[in-house]
Structure formats: structure tokens, C-alpha cells
Amino acid sequence: MVVVGAGLSGLSCALHLLGAGREVVVVERQEHPGGRAGRLDMDGFRVDTGPTVLTMPEILDEAFAAVGESLRDRLDLLPLAPAYRASFADGSVVDVHTDRRRMTAEVARVAGIREAVGYLRLREWLTRLYEVEMRSFIDARFDSPLDLLGPDLARLAAMGGFGRLAPAVGRHLGDERLRRIFSFQSLYAGVAPERALAAYAVIAYMDTIAGVYFPRGGMRAIADALAGAAAKAGARLRYGCGVTRLERSGDRVTAVLTDQGERIACDQVVLTVDLPAAHRLLGHRPRRPVPHRFSPSAVVLHLGTDRTWDHLAHHTISFGEQWERTFTEIIDQGRPMSDPSLLVTQPTLTDPSLAPDGHHLLYVLAPAPNLAAGDTDWDREGPRYRDAVVRTLEERGLTGLDASVRAERLVTPADWARQGLARGTPFSLAHTFAQTGPFRPRNTVPGTANAVLAGCGTTPGVGLPTVLLSGKLAAARLLAASKRRGRR
């Protein structure tokens, strides 16, 4: 089995294959594992350039368990309390706790008893939604829309899962600030809350109920741990080795050819590269009545500072006043936010070892249009936008931020495109109805009998827990196919 890409989906797939007794080779163009969960070292600051939010660690544990190991042996996970801190234009602050009692008290403090009761109803609804979706729609293989049919589909419909996210949250909460806290996650899915399926409230369950964690050593520690477990279980990990072509015989891939001049023969292959790149390698053009729609992108500013600010939590969401306008600008008009809502992550609050003594790391994420949705010249406008974001943060309480910077790196949609990500977005395909569940690109490819896909462009979709599941589902596909072939 050859796995192309040592990102989180590829490593998850490799572990599940190794656990089933298969011989596995992982080929990765970078010099380290992680894929989109990338890393950058700048002047003593150890920066994670990809996802910053870790939820559902039991899915990680499942990957380790496939080869007889456990998450506890490989990672030191630290629970975050609060999971988020939300700050608003009116000066109010809400700490988002995953503990039921603490969050009920926080909602009552901020918005009163009636909203606290609504929060408890919302929490119950989110939990039931997760239970239904996980067993039948997330951790599940689809071969056609008919696979949706079953009792859980009726349960999901009865719960309002096919309505819209913002109204679904609004049925439980009247306070606009709380509504934002439990619906902003639709940005992960690439859809505005007013348009997103209510089923995507399951992401809010993961963030606000299941718990948010941070691994000691940074998010890069996750990929290092998965790769270490795979190597111990017998996988051959080839870093600095990009794939240039797939050799074929009829409908089968027979070998993977690399930019190092190597030919790696394979019985089966897993492609975890960006979806358009995977289709190019396979010589496949998706047949769809309308083109794929990609998620918005993001501008990310990595800052190493010589000070911190007491009001920052590990994750702080700084909401602008014009919430709905944000989505109109990014998605419909294809231009940067005029009143930005920003995610500020300060990992050194939890793990000071990620920066030199007395220094701190800030990861500032500003949602932005992808390159197909807008015409911003990011190479020219990027530095100006960086200055605007820093000014906004200073106005919102991070006084002296610009003067405190000792190291920095700006990443724009143009930079994501240079990394090979389609439309300049790290979030791949949007989770519109036509790109969800059985309507999302499947992890099998017509015309190729022994190749499967994994990663955020295929099922189940975008997000750290779901890409780990994607690797697991890809491995299950290959193992089922090899059993069928063995019987023949």
C-alpha cells in the first residue's frame, strides 16, 4: 500500500492499514509529516501554520489503537478552559466552557436565566444531533445517495437538521452574542450561518461540548506522534519525496513515480493531496453539472512578541460589529472584511516552551475570499491588510502590539495557492448541500480500481477530526477491495 502524503489523513490511513497487517509506504514531499498541519520555526518561535483547534481526541486514539498504541503514550493533551473567549464590539466578553455547569452559569451571568435555560436546551439538541450524525453520516461510507436512507435520516429530519443553522440556533437562544458563538463554526464548512445546513451545528458540539485540547509541543506534535507510531509499526516514511506521476496498467495503478527518480510499485494507492491534484495524477476529470465550489480562504498572521495581554485566552474570537456583512463581503462580494472578526490563538499561554523565554506567539486568522471569488492582488495588498489587522487588534485592546513584534510571517490566499492549494484556500471544498455526505466527492475514483482518496476534499470533509476519519474510511475501502480480490 502506498500512501501519497503524510498529512493527518494519510497517517491515519497508514495506521489503520498497518493494523490490518498491510505493508505501507508513505511518500511525502515535505521534509516532515503534517501536511496542512504545517510548521515554521522563526528565531526561536515554534509556529504551527495549520489547524489550531483540536477536538474529539478519541478519533486520534482510534488511529493509535489500530497498531496497539494509545494516545496517552504518544501525546500530552491539555484541556483548554475556557475552550474559547469571545469578545464583542460592545465590550462584553463571554468565556465558552465545555463543562455544562460552568457554561450555564456564564450564560446566566451574561444574558440572564432565560438564556441559560435556552442554552441547556441547545446543548441537549447538539448532543442528540452529534449522536445521530456520527454513526450514520460522518463515520460512514457512501456509495450513493440511497445509502442515506434509514432511521437516522428520519431522526435527523425530525430534529431540523435539513433546515438552516442560524434559525436552528435562534430557536434556543435570543441573545445575538450567544447565537454567534454557536454558529460561527459554519465558516469551517465554508458557508454563512444563514445558509448552512443546521446539521453543521455538529461542529459546535465538538467545539463547545466535547472539549477543546492542545498538545504539549504544539499541533505539530500530533503529526510527529502519528508518524512515530506508523514507523514503529513498520511503515516506510519517505520525506522530501514528491510524486510526479502514477504508472498504470488498464484500470489499475501499478507504481508511484517520484521526483527523486524512484519507482515504487504498489498493489493499492491512497492519494491525500489536494483534490484537483489527485484528479490530475489519476487523469480523471469529475463529471458534474456545475463546478466544485471552494470554501473561503484566510489571511494568517504569525507574530512572535515580547509581551502578552491579560485578556487573551488560548483561543480568543474578536467579533466585529457587522457580523452578517462579514459573510456578504467574503462569500458574495469576494472582498476582505471591512469590520473583521478574527480568531487570535496564543499557544504560549498553554505551552510557554513554544517561544523564547519571556516571549509569546500569536496566530491571527482573518477569513478572506478565495482567489476565485475575489480579485485582490494579495502580493501587493497583503502588507497593507496586515497593518489594518494589527491596528484593529490594537483598537480592541492589544495596545502596543505592533511595537512588540520580534518575528512574523504573513500568509495570504496567494501563498496558499503557491503551496498548491486550489483557489488559494486551505479549507478545500465548501460544505454546500450539493457537496455534503454522498454528494461530496467520494473516496473512490471511477475508472481506477485500486486507488482511493483521503483528506478534506473528500468524505467526510473539512476539519481535524473529519480528516482523521477520512483516512480511516479510505483504509476500510482498500481492505474491503483487497478481500474481494482475494476471494476472486
Side-chain angles (χ1 to χ4, degrees):
M1 310 285 194
V2 175
V3 179
V4 179
L8 301 185
S9 64
L11 293 170
S12 170
C13 183
L15 287 171
H16 285 285
L17 291 173
L18 289 161
R22 300 305 193 267
E23 181 182 354
V24 177
V25 179
V26 181
V27 183
E28 169 56 52
R29 66 177 179 175
Q30 301 293 332
E31 297 294 337
H32 51 75
R36 297 185 200 209
R39 61 187 68 184
L40 169 68
D41 294 326
M42 53 181 196
D43 300 331
F45 295 92
R46 300 174 64 205
V47 178
D48 293 315
T49 62
T52 61
V53 179
L54 171 60
T55 61
M56 311 302 295
E58 60 269 23
I59 298 175
L60 260 177
D61 199 28
E62 188 178 10
F64 288 118
V67 292
E69 296 204 31
S70 72
L71 182 151
R72 188 184 302 108
D73 294 333
R74 286 282 177 175
L75 286 169
D76 182 11
L77 288 192
L78 306 171
L80 300 184
Y84 294 96
R85 176 165 292 154
S87 63
F88 299 90
D90 64 1
S92 61
V93 174
V94 181
D95 280 349
V96 181
H97 296 284
T98 55
D99 178 77
R100 182 178 185 271
R101 182 175 299 177
R102 293 185 70 183
M103 189 58 188
T104 303
E106 180 72 354
V107 172
R109 178 190 70 81
V110 170
I113 295 298
R114 179 176 295 181
E115 291 295 279
V117 173
Y119 160 71
L120 291 173
R121 289 198 306 266
L122 175 64
R123 185 183 178 99
E124 180 184 351
W125 179 70
L126 291 173
T127 302
R128 289 189 289 115
L129 194 72
Y130 169 78
E131 291 168 352
V132 169
E133 290 191 44
M134 178 56 77
R135 66 176 174 248
S136 295
F137 304 107
I138 299 176
D139 191 5
R141 287 184 287 168
F142 292 109
D143 291 307
S144 86
L146 295 177
D147 292 336
L148 281 173
L149 300 178
D152 278 338
L153 180 65
R155 293 188 184 98
L156 184 60
M159 293 172 63
F162 296 108
R164 297 301 169 188
L165 175 61
V169 172
R171 282 196 294 272
H172 302 281
L173 298 170
D175 189 286
E176 177 60 29
R177 296 165 299 176
L178 299 176
R179 289 183 178 189
R180 291 189 192 185
I181 287 171
F182 289 96
S183 64
F184 83 89
Q185 295 88 353
S186 70
L187 266 179
Y188 301 159
V191 187
E194 293 291 341
R195 302 177 190 174
L197 289 174
Y200 281 103
V202 71
I203 309 175
Y205 169 87
M206 296 177 183
D207 279 3
T208 66
I209 297 177
V212 177
Y213 299 82
F214 187 73
R216 195 179 302 278
M219 297 294 281
R220 67 177 68 186
I222 299 172
D224 288 340
L226 291 169
K232 183 179 177 182
R236 288 182 288 154
L237 298 164
R238 304 294 311 279
Y239 298 119
C241 192
V243 173
T244 57
R245 190 165 66 86
L246 301 179
E247 184 181 285
R248 298 180 66 119
S249 176
D251 65 352
R252 299 188 65 80
V253 177
T254 55
V256 171
L257 306 181
T258 76
D259 56 10
Q260 304 299 310
E262 295 176 277
R263 177 185 181 277
I264 305 174
C266 62
D267 295 304
Q268 293 174 306
V269 64
V270 184
L271 299 176
T272 72
V273 297
D274 203 35
L275 188 66
H279 285 305
R280 283 195 298 272
L281 284 171
L282 290 166
H284 174 71
R285 178 173 295 179
R287 296 178 181 177
R288 292 178 61 87
V290 294
H292 285 132
R293 177 179 162 188
F294 283 76
S295 293
S297 184
V299 173
V300 178
L301 184 57
H302 302 288
L303 300 175
T305 68
D306 62 7
R307 61 161 295 185
T308 186
W309 293 262
D310 291 340
H311 64 276
L312 288 180
H314 186 109
H315 295 298
T316 302
I317 308 168
S318 175
F319 285 105
E321 185 174 2
Q322 301 298 325
W323 178 237
E324 292 183 3
R325 190 172 76 191
T326 289
F327 298 97
T328 300
E329 290 173 337
I330 294 173
I331 297 173
D332 298 331
Q333 299 174 354
R335 60 190 182 94
M337 297 176 288
S338 58
D339 181 20
S341 291
L342 306 167
L343 171 64
V344 182
T345 296
Q346 184 183 208
T348 44
L349 186 66
T350 304
D351 186 354
S353 70
L354 299 175
D357 288 345
H359 291 70
H360 301 270
L361 261 179
L362 296 181
Y363 172 114
V364 182
L365 184 147
N370 66 46
L371 296 181
D375 57 2
T376 302
D377 182 348
W378 284 106
D379 289 331
R380 182 168 58 89
E381 297 296 331
R384 282 198 283 266
Y385 192 68
R386 175 266 182 208
D387 292 342
V389 168
V390 170
R391 281 196 304 272
T392 296
L393 289 172
E394 289 189 328
E395 291 167 359
R396 296 179 184 177
L398 272 67
T399 307
L401 172 60
D402 204 15
S404 75
V405 174
R406 296 294 172 263
E408 71 176 275
R409 177 69 60 88
L410 174 69
V411 183
T412 72
D415 295 310
W416 297 121
R418 280 188 279 269
Q419 293 178 32
L421 300 180
R423 312 299 190 272
T425 175
F427 305 117
S428 192
L429 299 184
H431 283 268
T432 60
F433 179 80
Q435 295 178 168
T436 294
F439 306 112
R440 197 167 182 83
R442 298 174 198 162
N443 58 4
T444 56
V445 180
T448 305
N450 64 334
V452 298
L453 308 179
C456 58
T458 183
T459 54
V462 178
L464 197 153
T466 41
V467 298
L468 291 168
L469 286 174
S470 179
K472 171 190 169 184
L473 295 172
R477 286 277 189 193
L478 291 184
L479 295 171
S482 63
K483 287 179 182 177
R484 288 194 299 271
R485 194 175 182 209
R487 285 196 297 268
R488 286 197 299 269

